[in-house]
Amino acid sequence: MAVTLLTVAIIVAALVIRTAVAELRAPGSTRGQRAFLTDRRAWAIGVGTAVVLGAFGWATAGPTAALWAALAGLLVASLTATGAGTGEKDD
């Protein structure tokens, strides 16, 4: 469990560092990257993904799979965000 927790923490830290570097290079760029935090649709899809993967993972691999499921849900939510600030064009 400790190795899994450490691995997930390292991945999350790498994503945060990547966001910080992008903000330093182009101020205001993180607004688009983090728009999913206020998008209900993205949250619903991310939570659904985490629940499904968590339930399946818990049954097959044990409780450590819940951490990976939460990380996967967060990544899915960030990929499915819609709305202002995500770089979409209104044509």
Side-chain angles (χ1 to χ4, degrees):
M1 177 76 167
V3 172
T4 300
L5 182 60
L6 182 62
T7 306
V8 171
I10 290 171
I11 292 170
V12 170
L15 293 171
V16 170
I17 291 169
R18 185 181 131 217
T19 301
V21 169
E23 181 67 20
L24 288 173
R25 288 184 179 165
S29 64
T30 56
R31 181 173 298 165
Q33 291 179 1
R34 300 297 173 227
F36 75 95
L37 295 173
T38 58
D39 187 354
R40 289 182 184 211
R41 179 180 167 271
W43 271 101
I45 293 171
V47 168
T49 301
V51 167
V52 169
L53 289 176
F56 179 73
W58 191 293
T60 58
T64 58
L67 291 170
W68 290 108
L71 180 62
L74 182 70
L75 293 174
V76 167
S78 71
L79 293 173
T80 58
T82 60
T86 59
E88 293 182 351
K89 301 258 184 195
D90 293 330
D91 291 334

